[in-house]
Amino acid sequence: TSQCEKALVYSISSHSNILLYRLTKLPSDTFFFHTLLFFSLCNTFTGTMFNNSRGGGYSSSSKDEEEPLLDELGIHPEQIWSKTRSILNPFRTNRTVHEDSSDLSGPIFLYLALCLFQLFAGKIQFGVILGWIVASSVFLYAVFNMLAGRRSGNLGLHTCTSLVGYCLLPLVVFSAVSLLFVPREGDGVVVVRFVVAGVFVLWSSRACSGLVVSLADGGEEHRGLISYACFLIYCLFSLLVVF
């Protein structure tokens, strides 16, 4: 079978060279040079093809054993969706989905969504929002660990970044609502924007403070100060949307 395939390739290549010669009317030395080059390329290609077909390439079993690309990158869509859905209820936040692991894939997605809505509103704030997320995570980490002390302060910086990012979801919704439904000009527009922003800031602050208190040891006795720190954090983000 392999000899027949090689003969078929050679016959096709020779006929194509004859056609090329008749069409272009090249000199004989140039024609033979191109013929030799074409045959060498055909031999290389057919040799590689037959070697791969005999087992030189990747087998189907090795492809089946490979993990999905998203798992290799540490991105789990089901986990991201469950954590995002837990923030949607402003009165009861599901803490169990945040206990297992703290990822940054969901916060990055929400960060990009907020930047995209701001871009639609004519505001290019990619660097500003990213810088504020980092500063807010460090601020919350420092505040909680200073309040809880060395023995009880077991809240990591990675966890703080994950919680701040996931609780940014209400402000992403606020950015979309202000872009689509809240008018930009008119009497009392600024007051309406501040009222709507206050509702979403309270939503984000309540969700973030509740998760911090429930996930870390010794946070219940400092709930008021932690809520105030979260309120300041999300007030900054709301000002980006309002103005």
Side-chain angles (χ1 to χ4, degrees):
T1 305
S2 61
Q3 297 295 330
C4 294
E5 290 177 351
K6 289 182 179 180
L8 180 61
V9 171
Y10 290 156
S11 63
I12 292 173
S13 62
S14 61
H15 283 87
S16 62
N17 282 321
I18 294 173
L19 180 60
L20 180 64
Y21 174 69
R22 291 180 178 177
L23 290 175
T24 57
K25 297 181 180 180
L26 294 173
S28 60
D29 53 347
T30 308
F31 170 72
F32 287 121
F33 172 77
H34 284 284
T35 304
L36 181 61
L37 179 62
F38 185 80
F39 270 109
S40 63
L41 291 175
C42 286
N43 288 328
T44 304
F45 174 75
T46 53
T48 306
M49 181 179 65
F50 291 134
N51 287 332
N52 289 335
S53 64
R54 290 176 182 176
Y58 293 102
S59 60
S60 59
S61 60
S62 62
K63 290 183 179 180
D64 295 336
E65 293 176 357
E66 293 181 357
E67 295 182 358
L69 180 60
L70 292 179
D71 292 342
E72 292 181 357
L73 296 176
I75 301 174
H76 306 284
E78 295 181 356
Q79 183 181 14
I80 293 173
W81 169 242
S82 61
K83 290 184 177 181
T84 304
R85 189 175 54 186
S86 69
I87 308 296
L88 291 176
N89 188 357
F91 302 103
R92 185 179 180 182
T93 305
N94 187 9
R95 52 165 289 187
T96 56
V97 295
H98 296 271
E99 288 180 346
D100 298 333
S101 61
S102 56
D103 66 293
L104 297 181
S105 304
I108 290 174
F109 174 74
L110 294 175
Y111 154 74
L112 293 176
L114 180 59
C115 293
L116 185 62
F117 285 123
Q118 291 294 93
L119 183 63
F120 288 156
K123 306 172 187 177
I124 304 176
Q125 298 173 338
F126 290 88
V128 176
I129 296 175
L130 179 60
W132 283 14
I133 290 176
V134 175
S136 301
S137 303
V138 174
F139 172 70
L140 184 61
Y141 168 76
V143 167
F144 178 80
N145 285 278
M146 283 190 298
L147 291 174
R150 294 182 178 179
R151 296 181 179 179
S152 301
N154 60 345
L155 188 66
L157 182 59
H158 190 273
T159 305
C160 286
T161 307
S162 178
L163 294 180
V164 169
Y166 273 109
C167 295
L168 200 65
L169 175 63
L171 293 180
V172 176
V173 177
F174 170 55
S175 180
V177 168
S178 63
L179 177 65
L180 299 175
F181 302 106
V182 179
R184 298 186 181 182
E185 297 179 358
D187 298 333
V189 173
V190 179
V191 178
V192 173
R193 282 180 172 269
F194 273 108
V195 171
V196 177
V199 173
F200 285 98
V201 166
L202 291 176
W203 181 2
S204 295
S205 303
R206 178 180 174 83
C208 187
S209 60
L211 289 174
V212 170
V213 169
S214 60
L215 293 179
D217 298 334
E220 187 65 36
E221 57 185 6
H222 305 292
R223 178 184 287 271
L225 293 175
I226 294 173
S227 301
Y228 179 66
C230 296
F231 178 78
L232 292 178
I233 288 172
Y234 293 107
C235 275
L236 291 176
F237 289 105
S238 66
L239 292 177
L240 291 177
V241 181
V242 172
F243 296 103

